[in-house]
Structures are given as C-alpha cells and as structure tokens.
Amino acid sequence: MAFVRFDNVSITFFKQQGLKPFTAVENFDLTLEEGEFFCLLGPSGCGKTTALNMLAGFDRPTNGRITKKGAEVLGPGRDRGVVFQGEDSLYGWLTAADNVAFGPKLAGVPKVERERTAKRYLSLVGLADHGHKFPHEMSGGMKQRTQIARVLANEPDMLLMDEPFAALDSQTRRVLQGELVRIWKATGKTVRFITHDIEEAIILGTRIGVMRAGPASAIKETISIEGVDAQDRRGEKFLEYYRIVHDLIEDEVGKSLQGELA
C-alpha cells in the first residue's frame, strides 16, 4: 500500500456568478512512499500549491480520491505538518520556544514535557541557544528553522513544504537546504516539497515530479534522483538531471505562453 495516493484527482473552483469555473488540477495521479523526499516543480499557475493544499486537507477534490495509509484525506490533521513560504506564520508575541511548544500546548501536553519537546526540536534545527528570541529578533533563516521545528513538535507523519526558502538569500538558502536534508535523514519523515528551483529539487529530492502547464494540470513525468553529490552542483550526474528537468519545464512554459497569446 502506498503511503499517499492521488487517484484521478480533479478540483474545480467555482468563481463569481457569470464567470466560468476554473479547473486547476485534472486527472492527477501520484503515489508517495513512506520516507521519500518528493519535489514538485512546474510552470507558474500549474497547480502545485493546489495539489499540496488538497493533501493538507485545506481544499477538497471535486473528483477523485486522496488517501494516506489507505484512509481518505477529508480535512486537515496533525499527521500532516505544513511549512509555509512566508515568515509571518510565527506568532510575533511568542518566543521561538513558545512558538514550537504551541501545538503541544493546544493538545494538552503538560508544560514540562512541551518545554522539553521545544528544546529538542530547536536543537535539531540548530537553534538550541535561540529559544528565548522573538520573531522580530531572528533572521529570515532562523524564522524558517523555527517554523520547521514547530511543525515537527506536533509529530506529523509527513511534512508539506510550499517553497519555504523562496524569500531567502542564496547563501542562507543553500545552508538551509543542507540542514533540511540532515533533518529529513534524522527524522525519517516523508516530505512533499514545492519549489521553482531545479537545483534545489535535485539536491533535496529522492524523486522529482514535473507538472504540465495549467490550467487542468497533472503530473507530466517523474524522475528518480540517484548518485548526486550535494556538494558538487556541477558534477556530471547533477548536470544530467538538471538538463532533463529543465527541458521538461521549458517545454511546458512554452505551452503556457502559447496559451496566453492565443
């Protein structure tokens, strides 16, 4: 049994009266195995975030079925932790430690245990000495690490990450890419990661899915990533994967532009 399965999933958004319905994703099929790091790429507007939101339970499919461990996904749950792109998801009036402990607190976990949990996950993301800081006292990279720690503190089965490093400078982004790989290996979580960055997908992913141009998009092709040295982004194997993914996306971007000009 697949850990996560999308079976012929479609979603149509019904807009204001007089406007045509908009189908973002159509006949979307995908399986995820437990413990894999799956990166999803594609042209802007192809439905990457919509597919993630359906798995998170924020949106319901119009047709088809999404299951996790055989059970249908009918809404949000603590088993699926979402890490967003923006820095504003942290509570500004809480310290990093209190932000991380917030989920366990809502779940009724005793204070001593949730403080221990916050220390554990802040340490895991490299912020062991920064739990006393408020969001306005932290850099963008520190805020994103705190977001990851906060999600992990809820003990989810999987992480859903929607371009979490997009707003960061390139140097910080590279550091956090390495940290995320380390965290993934340490926790064994299943990760579904959205990005526009081909290099990032190759460095992070065990498998990459490229979506067709939207609307009514679905997976065009998946590529398994093996034998890539994360420290060598100009190695032969890395460049081979880059060319494959780049060509797939370029083809879809071309189709998207043609559709806009038609």
Side-chain angles (χ1 to χ4, degrees), residues 59 77 89 152 218:
D59 292 326
S89 69
L152 290 173

Side-chain angles (χ1 to χ4, degrees), residues 11 27 50 62 69 74 87 125 147 182 190 210 215 218 240 254:
I11 183 167
N27 302 328
T50 299
T62 308
K69 294 183 176 179
L74 298 174
E87 302 172 356
V125 300
Q147 271 209 74
R182 179 183 60 80
T190 306
V210 177
E240 179 185 349

Side-chain angles (χ1 to χ4, degrees), residues 40 52 60 86 103 133 142 192 206 214 217 227 238 255:
L40 193 61
L52 183 143
R60 289 287 302 276
K133 293 184 177 179
M142 292 170 70
R192 169 86 172 273
T206 55
S217 182
F238 184 96
K255 293 177 183 176

Side-chain angles (χ1 to χ4, degrees), residues 42-98:
S44 295
C46 71
K48 299 184 295 296
T49 295
T50 299
L52 183 143
N53 285 343
M54 287 191 289
L55 179 53
F58 300 152
D59 292 326
R60 289 287 302 276
T62 308
N63 294 297
R65 192 165 181 259
I66 302 172
T67 57
K68 178 174 170 288
K69 294 183 176 179
E72 187 170 5
V73 172
L74 298 174
R78 288 171 60 89
D79 58 318
R80 286 152 284 138
V82 183
V83 179
F84 298 99
Q85 177 180 336
E87 302 172 356
D88 56 358
S89 69
L90 295 177
Y91 300 121
W93 62 92
L94 296 179
T95 64
D98 288 339

Side-chain angles (χ1 to χ4, degrees), residues 11-261:
I11 183 167
T12 298
F13 296 99
F14 297 90
K15 298 185 177 182
Q16 299 175 359
Q17 188 174 2
L19 296 177
K20 292 182 179 180
F22 176 77
T23 299
V25 171
E26 187 172 52
N27 302 328
F28 186 101
D29 291 307
L30 177 67
T31 58
L32 301 178
E33 299 303 325
E34 189 167 10
E36 80 167 306
F37 199 124
F38 186 88
C39 291
L40 193 61
L41 292 88
S44 295
C46 71
K48 299 184 295 296
T49 295
T50 299
L52 183 143
N53 285 343
M54 287 191 289
L55 179 53
F58 300 152
D59 292 326
R60 289 287 302 276
T62 308
N63 294 297
R65 192 165 181 259
I66 302 172
T67 57
K68 178 174 170 288
K69 294 183 176 179
E72 187 170 5
V73 172
L74 298 174
R78 288 171 60 89
D79 58 318
R80 286 152 284 138
V82 183
V83 179
F84 298 99
Q85 177 180 336
E87 302 172 356
D88 56 358
S89 69
L90 295 177
Y91 300 121
W93 62 92
L94 296 179
T95 64
D98 288 339
N99 264 284
V100 175
F102 189 79
K105 182 179 181 179
L106 288 181
V109 175
K111 182 177 180 180
V112 172
E113 185 177 343
R114 64 178 185 257
E115 287 178 348
R116 189 183 305 120
T117 296
K119 287 181 180 179
R120 173 188 171 194
Y121 286 111
L122 284 172
S123 178
L124 181 65
V125 300
L127 294 177
D129 298 325
H130 300 276
H132 63 285
K133 293 184 177 179
F134 289 89
H136 72 272
E137 298 175 309
M138 296 187 285
S139 67
M142 292 170 70
K143 291 176 185 177
Q144 289 304 84
R145 290 177 190 230
T146 303
Q147 271 209 74
I148 295 170
R150 184 174 66 178
V151 167
L152 290 173
N154 290 318
E155 300 290 347
D157 290 339
M158 68 182 308
L159 302 182
L160 307 178
M161 310 184 80
D162 190 357
E163 297 193 74
F165 306 147
L168 303 176
D169 63 87
S170 59
Q171 184 175 1
T172 302
R173 186 168 183 155
R174 284 200 177 200
V175 170
L176 288 188
Q177 288 167 359
E179 286 294 293
L180 182 56
V181 170
R182 179 183 60 80
I183 292 166
W184 167 63
K185 290 180 178 179
T187 62
K189 303 292 184 186
T190 306
V191 180
R192 169 86 172 273
F193 190 99
I194 291 176
T195 180
H196 278 96
D197 189 320
I198 299 174
E199 285 195 9
E200 183 168 72
I202 297 170
I203 291 300
L204 296 177
T206 55
R207 202 158 50 108
I208 294 173
V210 177
M211 292 187 68
R212 298 196 309 262
S217 182
I219 297 285
K220 176 178 183 176
E221 190 169 331
T222 59
I223 303 100
S224 295
I225 305 297
E226 298 176 355
V228 171
D229 183 355
Q231 304 305 315
D232 182 8
R233 301 186 185 218
R234 292 297 175 265
E236 182 178 343
K237 198 71 173 176
F238 184 96
L239 293 176
E240 179 185 349
Y241 283 126
Y242 189 97
R243 177 187 56 78
I244 292 170
V245 177
H246 175 272
D247 289 351
L248 287 168
I249 293 177
E250 185 176 53
D251 181 51
E252 292 305 311
V253 169
K255 293 177 183 176
S256 179
L257 292 175
Q258 288 174 9
E260 291 177 4
L261 294 174

